Amino acid sequence: MTVQEEAPTADGAQVGDPLEVWIDQDLCTGDGICAQYAPEVFELDIDGLAYVKSGDDELLQSPGATTPVPLTLLNDVVDSAKECPGDCIHVRRVSDRVEVYGPDAE
């Protein structure tokens, strides 16, 4: 799955809008709920905080690092954002960077 693949219509996202996800580590509580829902996308590091992973399974530790949301994992990533006790998971459209799931979603 690549960043060019299309995501379904849902809460502000239009068909064809690729989505990306990032985590605000300043708000992360380290509960690991995200890694339970979508271990292919999220992982806890040795510091106890969650990070997104690249498509090559590499932990992306730069502040604000994003990774594409694979269509097959969209529901798991959205559930992670909804259930996160730290409200630190942000899912946004790649095209205009508008958040469609997470604490800043409209």
Side-chain angles (χ1 to χ4, degrees):
M1 182 125 345
T2 66
V3 73
Q4 286 78 28
E5 292 194 43
E6 299 178 357
T9 300
D11 294 354
Q14 300 299 314
V15 171
D17 284 340
L19 301 175
E20 62 188 5
V21 61
W22 67 281
I23 295 177
D24 182 345
Q25 279 77 30
D26 290 337
L27 299 176
C28 180
T29 58
D31 288 276
I33 292 171
C34 56
Q36 291 175 13
Y37 275 108
E40 303 87 349
V41 177
F42 305 107
E43 183 176 323
L44 292 177
D45 196 18
I46 194 166
D47 63 5
L49 301 177
Y51 294 86
V52 295
K53 300 192 299 186
S54 71
D56 296 331
D57 208 36
E58 177 187 348
L59 207 59
L60 304 176
Q61 295 175 299
S62 300
T66 65
T67 196
V69 177
L71 182 58
T72 56
L73 297 174
L74 178 60
N75 288 335
D76 294 334
V77 171
V78 169
D79 287 344
S80 296
K82 289 180 179 178
E83 298 298 324
C84 177
D87 284 330
C88 64
I89 299 173
H90 303 266
V91 181
R92 64 186 178 202
R93 290 189 299 257
V94 172
S95 61
D96 60 7
R97 300 171 63 99
V98 170
E99 189 162 318
V100 292
Y101 300 104
D104 299 330
E106 298 176 355

